[in-house]
Every structure is written in C-alpha cells, then in structure tokens.
Amino acid sequence: MVLKEAGASLEWTELADREPGNGEIRVQVAACGVCRTDLHVMDGELPDPHFPIIPGHEIVGRIDAMGAGVEGLRIGERVGIPWLAHTCGACPYCRGHRENLCDRPEFTGYTRDGGFATATIADARFAFPLGEFGSDVELAPLLCAGLIGWRSLVSAGDGSHLGLYGFGAAAHIVAQVAMWQGRSVSAFTRPGDAATQAFARGLGATWVGGSDQMPPEPLDAAIIFAAVGDLVPLALQAVRKGGRVVCAGIHMSDIPSFPYRLLWEERQLVSVANLTRQDGIDFLRLAPQIGIVTHTTRYPLAQANQALADLRAGRFAGAAVLVP
Ligand SMILES: [Zn+2]
Ligand SMILES: [Zn+2]
C-alpha cells in the first residue's frame, strides 16, 4: 500500500520482490500495526517526507532472505521491525547512548519503506527477535505503541499516580504496564467519549473522565498521547508540585499560551522522541512477564485506508492491525 504524495490515499501497488543488501534482512510480513504517526506521514505533517513510501512501522514477520554480514538471526525466525530503522553510529547522540536522537537516522515507513506490504527489507541490527510466544497480530502494537509508550513511562518517573491523555493503542498498553508496577492510572479521553472511558475502566483505570476534567487527586505525572496541544496546559494543571508532563507524540497541534503558574513549582514539561534499541530489548523482555493483552481490530492489508480513517475518527478501541 503505497503513499505517492501527502494528502493522498494509499494505493495497492504490485512491486517486484527486492533482495536484501549487506546487513539487511527481508521479512515476509505477518501483521503490521497502524499508528497515529502513519496519519502524520500521510498528512505531510513531518519534515522532509519521502515519496513514494510504504508506511507502517509495527511489523511482525519472518525472515525469508538475508544479505551478507547478518549476525544473530536466521531464516524463518520471527522478528519485529520498529520505527527506528537505522542510526549513523557516529554522531554525539549515537555515541552518548541516545541513538533515538541520532543526527542522521532512518525511520521505517517514513524514510524507508515499511510494513503495509507483503514483504519488507530492514537493517538486521534494528530488528528484534520475538520468539514464538504470542500471536503476530497481538504482538504488532508492541512495536511502537508499546515501545514508545514504555519510553514515555520511564520518562514520566516512578510516581504512583499516573494520568494518560488519549486512551488509544499506546495508552492501553502503558496502563497495563503501570498497573503491573503497582501504580494507579487515570484515563483522560475526548470529552463525552463514553465508549473509550468504559474501555479504560475495563482495563483497570481508577478514574476516567474527559480531558477537560480535573482528576480527584493531583497526578504525579501525566503522559499525553493525543496529538492535541490544548492538552498540555490541562495536564500541567492536573499534576502536583514537582510533577512531570511527557508529550509522547511525534507531532502535536500548537500549544496554546498558558499562565506561568501552571509550570511554576518545578513542574516539568518534556517530550519523548523515537526509541533506542535498548528500549526495545528492555520492554520486549518485560512484556511476556506482565502478560500484556493488546486489544486489536484486524483489517486486510487492502483495507489500510479504512483502518487509517477509523483510527482518525476514533472508531475502535485499542489498536488496528493490518494482515496481508
Ligand atoms: Zn547518529
Ligand atoms: Zn508509531
């Protein structure tokens, strides 16, 4: 499913099989999750877009070909391919254990073709072995919603009362991790979105409400997954003194001006960008212990545009996954 220009729909396109180059693997895609970032790619909201591009960066599949120099992987092995597709290894960020901020990165489904396809090529060093535990469809959302959610949760600190703004694919995973860690979760949805509020309550959220509401007790930290800048002052208002607000999305509408008193008293406002391979190793090791259950809605690959439209409109709970 190819995106030829910003603002267009994806087009079903027959392409010749590609051969993996040095250090690359070819993966037959079994499932690929649909992420809000795919909408930002399609809408042309990210800088330096590459067209034509095959979106999709929550890929689960099996290796069917390997180029020279691939180590530690084998033909037939199940792997996950995340958003971070390649880093330079030489810039100050790569050398300082912050490869998520690499100066010359590549991203799956944005600068390199991704997983809305029957097969894809990846840099072997950035693929995660997934083992055989769990189904392809259930695992796919872990590759971005899970990984970026995990990085956001770590960034939020270890406060016991966490607020999640935007209760979609990432939040429904992060909520399970946070509760497994013994924290309580408050879920903030679009005002009046009773279906999503019921979904969050069903997962164990101790309080649910609209994003325009204040929680009964101040939060220790909040994570904003929705791409809505208006949520930033609301979340700052909801956290206690010294609390932290983490913006987890790659793109957000403008943040409105707000009074300094909302930031005062050492509240912190930070963002989380991309992931490091270590984030993936840490999270994918933990996920089976936690027993994360991802709530998924399957779409055939050819219905990718419908899946994206449903994501935009908030028509399903949890995560959408494309199956070739
Ligand atoms: Zn770098
Ligand atoms: Zn994503």
Side-chain angles (χ1 to χ4, degrees), residues 15-29 53-57 59 61-68 70 73 79-86 106-127:
L15 299 169
D17 279 348
R18 300 174 191 171
E19 295 302 319
N22 278 354
E24 291 181 335
I25 52 175
R26 187 174 67 198
V27 172
Q28 293 296 321
V29 177
I53 189 80
I54 301 171
H57 56 270
I59 305 170
R62 287 186 190 273
I63 300 171
D64 81 329
M66 298 199 293
V70 173
L73 296 171
V79 292
I81 301 171
W83 169 248
L84 189 70
H86 180 81
E106 298 270 2
F107 299 108
T108 310
Y110 171 31
T111 70
R112 287 189 176 188
D113 281 337
F116 293 179
T118 52
T120 193
I121 304 278
D123 183 329
R125 297 168 304 162
F126 290 80

Side-chain angles (χ1 to χ4, degrees), residues 167-251:
F167 206 85
H172 99 285
I173 295 171
V174 168
Q176 295 177 55
V177 179
M179 288 186 272
W180 177 81
Q181 292 172 328
R183 316 190 201 202
S184 69
V185 169
S186 291
F188 299 77
T189 72
R190 295 178 218 217
D193 185 350
T196 305
Q197 290 176 10
F199 176 57
R201 202 184 291 282
L203 281 173
T206 48
W207 180 88
V208 299
S211 56
D212 55 345
Q213 292 176 256
M214 283 296 127
E217 300 290 332
L219 307 170
D220 294 318
I223 305 174
I224 303 177
F225 291 110
V228 181
D230 299 275
L231 296 174
V232 170
L234 289 169
L236 281 169
Q237 214 175 329
V239 298
R240 61 163 170 76
K241 290 183 281 188
R244 181 174 265 221
V245 174
V246 180
C247 301
I250 192 170
H251 175 83

Side-chain angles (χ1 to χ4, degrees), residues 88-89 91 94 102-103:
C88 76
C91 74
C94 281
C102 175
D103 283 334

Side-chain angles (χ1 to χ4, degrees), residues 34-38 57-58 83 143-145 148:
V34 177
C35 173
R36 180 154 295 276
T37 298
D38 299 316
H57 56 270
E58 297 182 306
W83 169 248
L143 270 298
C144 180
I148 305 278

